[in-house]
Structure formats: structure tokens, C-alpha cells
Amino acid sequence: MNREVTTKTRLLDGRQPESLAVAAGLLQAGELVVFPTDTVYGVGCLPFDEHAIRNLYDVKQRPVDKGIPILLADATDLPLVCRELPESAQALIERYWPGPLTLIVPRQPELPEMISRRYHCSSYSRQRYSRNPDPCGGGAVAASSANRSGQPPAVSGDGALRSLGEMVAAVVDGGPTPDDQPSTIIDCTGPVPRILRRGPLSASDLNTFGNMEDLA
């Protein structure tokens, strides 16, 4: 059963279908919501809500020069946030999505500049706590790991609650995540894809894909 945790934060049972409706309503109201992904717990808001994005940076204490990834409900939602898809990104998507892979691609100019001035990160991730692959009821959610910048990522609802507490409107608790690493990040904006962060997809996994520069 969903319950109040503090005067500001609700703990939502991710096994209950109504939890997604509650979370979606909070996002639509400009609030921050925590939810599990197939890597670690994320905290997110609507990607076109500048006030909410600013709040996300503040809550995470994230440097403003670091972009906010956008979690997609489906790969077909990419045009919402991506101006043009490089061939390297398309090939990686076909092989690894849905999965723990975040891609940096050219951004749609309609996205708030705070998310990223030139490029943005996108990922399409299976949600384990619902048959609906969409974390909170919209086509895309601007999301980062549910922790303060520089701290270990949360791998449980309780961990996310301890980390962010009263600073978010709700935590959708879907149980422990299957991994304790954030997603692998690859920059596809140049002539050669570049691995910027290692994650569940290792460099050896990606070496089978083809020519790639490892900067991690």
C-alpha cells in the first residue's frame, strides 16, 4: 500500500498499477519522482519543464555543465529529443536497446538549454516493476541517478529515500535493482563513437561492435 513518508515524499509500491498514475500526475505537476531502472534508481522530471529541470540540478547538486540524460519509453520516441540520429547511434540502438546504454546524440533545439547546450543523452530502459515500459507515464523523462552528485547510486527504494529524502515528491519502490552500476555512456556526435563511462556494457562487449575510442 502506498504511504506517506514525510510531509513531502510519498513511497509508492511499484507493484501496484496505480503507483504509475500517481507518479505521472506528480511529474505533470512539475515534481521530481524517483523510480527504478534496469541499472540503478533514477530521479526524474519532464524534459520540457525548465523549472523542474533546475530543481533536479539543485537536488542532485549536479554541476550545470553536466547534461541530464533523457529516459525514453520506447526507441520510437527518439524524435522527441534527437534532431538527427548518427549512423553509429542507430547501430548501437539496434544491438543494445532496450538496455543499460546511454547515447549522446544531437539535441532537438526545443529542449531546454539547461539539459545540454549542444547535445543530450538518451536511453531506452526496461522497467522491471510494470508491464508498461514507461517509467512514469510520459514519452520521455529527464532523469539522472537518484543520489547526490559524487555519492554512490541508489540500488533500492529505501536507499534512494535516504539519499534524496524530502527533496523529491515520491519514490516508486520496485525492489532492489539488478545492477549497481549506472549505464554505459557513448558519445555518438563525432566520426568515431567514444566510450565516456564504463558500465554494464564493458569495453570488451563494445569492441565486438567495431571501431570505438575508449575515453573512460
Side-chain angles (χ1 to χ4, degrees):
M1 178 180 296
N2 297 335
R3 62 183 176 87
E4 297 289 337
V5 177
T6 71
T7 56
K8 292 186 62 177
T9 306
R10 298 179 67 179
L11 184 63
L12 305 175
D13 186 348
R15 297 167 299 179
Q16 303 299 322
E18 63 267 22
S19 293
L20 292 185
V22 173
L26 290 169
L27 285 175
Q28 292 293 335
E31 301 285 358
L32 302 184
V33 174
V34 170
F35 51 87
T37 74
D38 57 1
T39 54
V40 297
Y41 272 73
V43 54
C45 64
L46 295 186
F48 292 94
D49 187 332
E50 292 191 46
H51 177 78
I53 292 166
R54 187 175 295 107
N55 191 26
L56 180 57
Y57 273 101
D58 290 343
V59 163
K60 281 187 56 71
Q61 299 179 350
R62 186 179 180 87
V64 295
D65 60 345
K66 294 185 67 175
I68 298 290
I70 296 179
L71 182 63
L72 302 173
D74 191 272
T76 58
D77 292 317
L78 260 172
L80 293 172
V81 293
C82 177
R83 185 179 76 248
E84 56 181 324
L85 192 64
E87 289 184 8
S88 58
Q90 180 63 51
L92 286 163
I93 285 169
E94 291 174 358
R95 177 169 295 192
Y96 294 112
W97 279 13
L101 173 63
T102 297
L103 301 175
I104 298 178
V105 294
R107 67 192 293 277
Q108 282 286 13
E110 292 82 5
L111 282 171
E113 192 171 294
M114 283 196 72
I115 287 183
S116 174
R117 286 175 172 79
R118 297 184 61 199
Y119 306 113
H120 85 272
C121 306
S122 290
S123 58
Y124 166 31
S125 181
R126 284 193 183 95
Q127 302 304 314
R128 300 170 301 102
Y129 61 91
S130 171
R131 293 179 183 175
N132 184 346
D134 185 342
C136 297
V141 177
S144 184
S145 56
N147 57 278
R148 299 289 188 94
S149 290
Q151 298 298 313
V155 296
S156 68
D158 285 341
L161 191 61
R162 287 193 300 270
S163 181
L164 299 181
E166 298 181 7
M167 295 178 290
V168 299
V171 173
V172 180
D173 190 347
T177 57
D179 209 316
D180 60 359
Q181 297 182 82
S183 62
T184 301
I185 297 179
I186 299 179
D187 183 351
C188 294
T189 59
V192 177
R194 300 183 300 168
I195 303 172
L196 302 186
R197 183 176 73 192
R198 297 188 184 97
L201 297 180
S202 67
S204 59
D205 293 329
L206 295 168
N207 282 341
T208 63
F209 173 79
N211 187 27
M212 194 171 296
E213 187 178 0
D214 189 352
L215 301 182

